[in-house]
Amino acid sequence: MKKSMLTALIALGLITPILTNTGASAAEFNQNEPNASAIIPKINQQQQKLPKLSEKQLKIQDSDIETWMPNPTVRELMLNFLIKRGYLPEGSSVNEITKDLLGSIKPSDIIILEINTFAGGQITPNLSEGLQYINPEVSVGIDIIDADDSQLLKLDFAELHQNVDQWDIYIVNPNKIANQQIMQKVSDAKLPAKGESYQNPTIYYVKANFTDNGTNLTPIPSKTIDISKSLFPTINLTDNDFWREIDHTKSSYHGITSALIRKDNFFTILPIGSYYIFTELSEGNYSGNLSETELTLNAMNKVAKNPQNYYAWILATEDYNDGQHQDVVLGSIIYAEYQK
């Protein structure tokens, strides 16, 4: 069975497994993840000023899901989850989703929604609106996969951060590496820190492209590793190999990690920590070295036999932390092909 390139990201720990249904939406449920702390529900100050509604009016308001959960992709994803987990019967529609039903989801259920614009998913400013009604003991996350910065710039990051426990963005583009305006908008939102029990949200820029109607991610190599003279050559990289505009003074940490991937099934041969280790020699200049061990020697001998069947996955990260708000990581993923 043909696997998505997302499988490689899953193997590297960047994306958790995804259950897809036919068409544009997907939802995932990972029982191995730890339970997150309670989500702080959003308080709508304007609604508090309105007169109290009658029981009949409340029922009408609650049934109008397009009002309280306006994003169509999120509605479909939640419907898929609720049917899959038995909260709703097969054949149910989004109109049968209620706030009370979301509040009854078991704490043991973990929800991660994938908004994939390549597969028809829609990004709206109020993307996460409605998810605050989910039982606060349930861990909720969103993965956004997109190539259009303009849509992401309209996203309400403060609302997104408040309504879910974890969010990550994957910007897939073969040419443009990074748009600093997005990170600036996140910084301007002054997201409250959620504590050490939460994973830092990350914005990944992936130098690749989707093919086959959004089902496969095709890596675009931007570097070449010459193994004609040595199976363990030094790899030299600079900031210019990743995003174009970068200011290390705004981040508390920056570094580079890597992994060795087999192309035919996107299998991770050498994971992060077992492949090249990069050291910053001077500002923005990095040197990567691979230790010769039995594990790495076996792996590189396989690469030497068929170099066209493997590639290096390289991730540069910047950790933005002002000491007062939520840490946010900016990541840039590039690929290197082997040459013999």
Side-chain angles (χ1 to χ4, degrees):
M1 180 178 68
K2 199 170 187 180
K3 294 185 179 180
S4 165
M5 175 55 195
L6 292 179
T7 306
L9 298 181
I10 291 170
L12 294 166
L14 297 181
I15 301 181
T16 43
I18 298 167
L19 296 178
T20 59
N21 58 6
T22 57
S25 56
E28 77 175 22
F29 339 103
N30 187 342
Q31 296 297 327
N32 295 322
E33 294 285 346
N35 287 331
S37 300
I39 303 170
I40 303 174
K42 181 183 178 182
I43 300 175
N44 192 319
Q45 299 293 342
Q46 292 182 346
Q47 284 187 352
Q48 288 184 341
K49 298 177 182 179
L50 295 174
K52 291 185 177 181
L53 300 177
S54 67
E55 185 176 347
K56 182 178 180 180
Q57 288 173 319
L58 285 171
K59 288 182 179 179
I60 293 174
Q61 184 189 64
D62 189 52
S63 64
D64 185 13
I65 190 172
E66 292 185 9
T67 298
W68 58 269
M69 186 178 282
N71 184 279
T73 306
V74 170
R75 291 198 298 268
E76 292 295 332
L77 294 174
M78 283 309 307
L79 176 64
N80 181 67
F81 167 82
L82 293 168
I83 292 175
K84 188 74 176 181
R85 286 299 186 196
Y87 293 100
L88 286 175
E90 291 287 345
S92 297
S93 71
V94 294
N95 294 323
E96 295 173 70
I97 302 174
T98 65
K99 298 174 185 177
D100 285 342
L101 179 58
L102 296 183
S104 70
I105 295 175
K106 299 174 183 177
S108 57
D109 282 329
I110 291 177
I111 306 170
I112 299 183
L113 310 177
E114 181 194 290
I115 314 297
N116 186 344
T117 64
F118 295 92
Q122 297 184 44
I123 297 174
T124 56
N126 50 6
L127 179 66
S128 66
E129 181 66 26
L131 298 179
Q132 71 268 35
Y133 299 111
I134 295 173
N135 181 351
E137 296 183 14
V138 175
S139 179
V140 182
I142 288 183
D143 288 331
I144 303 172
I145 303 172
D146 186 41
D148 187 356
D149 290 345
S150 64
Q151 295 184 61
L152 294 170
L153 283 170
K154 298 175 183 177
L155 191 61
D156 187 336
F157 285 99
E159 181 180 82
L160 174 67
H161 189 66
Q162 180 171 284
N163 289 345
V164 302
D165 298 285
Q166 174 64 30
W167 57 270
D168 295 293
I169 295 173
Y170 301 84
I171 303 173
V172 182
N173 195 300
N175 301 312
K176 185 168 49 183
I177 301 300
N179 184 346
Q180 289 293 321
Q181 289 181 309
I182 294 179
M183 181 56 72
Q184 186 60 53
K185 183 170 183 179
V186 174
S187 299
D188 291 343
K190 300 187 183 304
L191 306 177
K194 290 194 173 185
E196 296 181 358
S197 62
Y198 291 86
Q199 181 181 333
N200 293 332
T202 302
I203 300 174
Y204 295 101
Y205 286 88
V206 187
K207 192 161 188 177
N209 204 355
F210 266 94
T211 59
D212 297 342
N213 298 320
T215 59
N216 288 307
L217 188 63
T218 305
I220 298 178
S222 57
K223 302 292 291 184
T224 299
I225 302 175
D226 186 355
I227 55 172
S228 59
K229 297 180 180 178
S230 171
L231 294 180
F232 299 86
T234 298
I235 300 177
N236 295 312
L237 297 172
T238 72
D239 283 341
N240 291 331
D241 290 310
F242 299 94
W243 47 84
R244 293 172 183 163
E245 297 179 14
I246 186 168
D247 183 359
H248 291 313
T249 62
K250 295 182 178 180
S251 63
S252 58
Y253 165 83
H254 62 273
I256 298 177
T257 54
S258 65
L260 174 64
I261 308 293
R262 189 170 61 209
K263 287 183 180 180
D264 59 357
N265 60 358
F266 303 114
F267 183 76
T268 303
I269 303 297
L270 294 175
I272 293 174
S274 298
Y275 194 49
Y276 274 84
I277 304 298
F278 286 86
T279 303
E280 188 170 19
L281 301 178
S282 59
E283 183 68 25
N285 294 282
Y286 309 87
S287 177
N289 294 283
L290 178 61
S291 299
E292 186 172 345
T293 65
E294 182 178 356
L295 179 66
T296 58
L297 184 59
N298 289 336
M300 293 309 299
N301 279 329
K302 293 177 181 177
V303 174
K305 292 179 180 178
N306 296 288
Q308 70 280 0
N309 291 342
Y310 299 86
Y311 62 81
W313 175 98
I314 304 173
L315 167 67
T317 56
E318 293 275 325
D319 189 354
Y320 287 77
N321 177 15
D322 62 4
Q324 301 179 25
H325 303 95
Q326 175 68 48
D327 286 24
V328 178
V329 177
L330 175 64
S332 181
I333 298 172
I334 64 171
Y335 304 89
E337 60 186 354
Y338 287 96
Q339 186 178 66
K340 186 178 178 181

